[in-house]
Amino acid sequence: MKMRKKIKNDSKRRLGVLVSMSSMPGEFGIGDFGRESRCLLDRLSECGIRTLSLLPMNPTGFGNSPYQSPSAFAGNINYISPQSLFEDGLLRREDLEKVRCSGRDMVDYGQIFDTREPMLKKAYGAFVKGGGLQNEEYRKFCRISGGWLDDFAAYMAIKGTMNYRSWNQWSPELAGRKEPAYSCWLEEHREELEFWKFTQFIFFRQWGQWKEHANERGIEIIGDMPFYVAADSADVWSRPELFAVNPESGRIELWAGVPADDFSGSDRNWGNPVYNWNNHRKDDYAWFRKRIRMCGAMYDALRIDHVIAMMRYFGIKDGENKGKWYDGPETADNGFSRAICEEAEKSGLSIIAEDLGRVPDGLRERMEESGWPGMRILQFAFVGKYGAKSNHLPFCHQKEMVVYTGTHDNATLKEFLSQKTDKELEYMKWWTGKNTKEELQWALIEECCKSPANLAIIPIQDLLELGEEARMVYSDDYDRSWKWRLSGIEQLHEDVCRRIKKTAVLTGRCGVENDADFFQYLEW
């Protein structure tokens, strides 16, 4: 699997697109590594896009969110391309018809849940019949991934036989991995374990091919590493000593969350257990080091979510509604950031720190020491602050930062503008030099691209000027979240591509080498 190839962009100033793999176009109900998503890569490259920022690639959990993942290491098997399995001889044409979906603009997770695993079991049967388990590529993958792969395969196999109940509701022998009962169970279910290892082998093989396709077209890939994992995960089950978990009962003792704010009148529990930082410190953050090495094998750069928690995190005790702030690992020493930096440097992985929210003392200094650029969100520049009061305004940006119009948690630009007061709209018109509300959408994208920040990233929904219907995450409405998809490559039609390319060229984000190329791109 060719996953370690790194690319070097021609230009320091770059324009990127933010998208979830689940939102890629395709005929099988959810984005995958197949032909249509590769065509999208081709189209983005033609537009001058040099960076693709992907939302987490882990399996999804509660609310279909990858930030509630059952594994910090595994890949989401829903992204495996059925068409590629067919081309590899692991599926028949009639198998493809069973997973083909008529609806293309929204993910139907119910249908995906019902069809993907049976499809992959057919592919596994063909793989075994063809001698795949003895294949050296497969055996090597299992060897180098054994540390996390064995635990993930066991977790998924047991969960399947337990009607998908949370691990702390399993029998004490399996929940606590007690011998000899645990080893006996694994021996009796060896076939299920092998199946789940196969799914990860296929995921990472297809991912490596997909990323190579992107890199060959001059597009670097930024991954996204959630700071926390789900309580019901292979990680918490297999390594409870690394989390705030009662080792006997499996009960989470301290949950991660955020305090009450303007949007929520009460403290919010995210549903993720916080870490037992003392135990992480004892083995020099070996588990986090492994995560960074994994990301270094997958991506060209990595956004680490919620880095403020390394200085200060908000915790809510189990059974309580009110939480409080706790000191993070970096308040004692710089061991955590040093571990991240050491592993990232070994694999040539650039780090981007998601430093949004209430920034604790010392965080900016530690990020600067580590060489981690932070983020700025253009939408935040126009929320209740006027003049030079917001550090999210472009003239406050620094070269090393990464600027976004918005993230997956924000409204799309079109929705954002629809919610603004007349006073706020007038301020934005004055600031951008535009006369109408309709002009503001693209004007804000242009202002984002004019920023001094070397990297500007625009959600694909904003480039397509889509509204509330294309939002990725709806606060407190899990049923609507993580469902939006591109209906087809034709949405990125010639007029849209021309406008993106022109903006990239005019703001120096396209790596144009000479005057002839410059004017050729403007005429395109």
Side-chain angles (χ1 to χ4, degrees), residues 65-120:
S65 170
Y67 294 95
Q68 284 286 345
S69 181
S71 174
F73 300 93
N76 189 334
I77 63 173
N78 294 333
Y79 301 156
I80 292 173
S81 164
Q83 181 68 37
S84 296
L85 291 176
F86 168 73
E87 293 168 1
D88 290 341
L90 298 179
L91 290 179
R92 297 173 299 177
R93 190 168 297 279
E94 52 264 37
D95 298 325
L96 292 185
E97 295 306 316
K98 291 178 182 178
V99 294
R100 205 181 301 275
C101 297
S102 56
R104 293 174 63 97
D105 57 350
M106 289 287 167
V107 178
D108 183 343
Y109 283 103
Q111 183 175 9
I112 296 298
F113 183 83
D114 290 339
T115 59
R116 274 305 188 271
E117 194 174 320
M119 177 199 76
L120 288 169

Side-chain angles (χ1 to χ4, degrees), residues 34 97 164 190 206 216 315 367 382 466:
E97 295 306 316
Y164 294 94
R190 206 185 314 179
Q206 289 194 8
E216 287 173 349
M367 286 170 53
F382 302 103
L466 300 176

Side-chain angles (χ1 to χ4, degrees), residues 3 67 115 127 135 154 181 192 227 245 291 312 314 323 355 409 415 421 453 459 511:
M3 292 194 295
Y67 294 95
T115 59
F127 182 76
N135 178 283
E192 291 99 315
F227 194 82
V245 176
R291 291 184 75 184
R312 184 182 67 168
F314 195 77
D355 56 343
D409 281 323
E415 180 189 2
T421 65

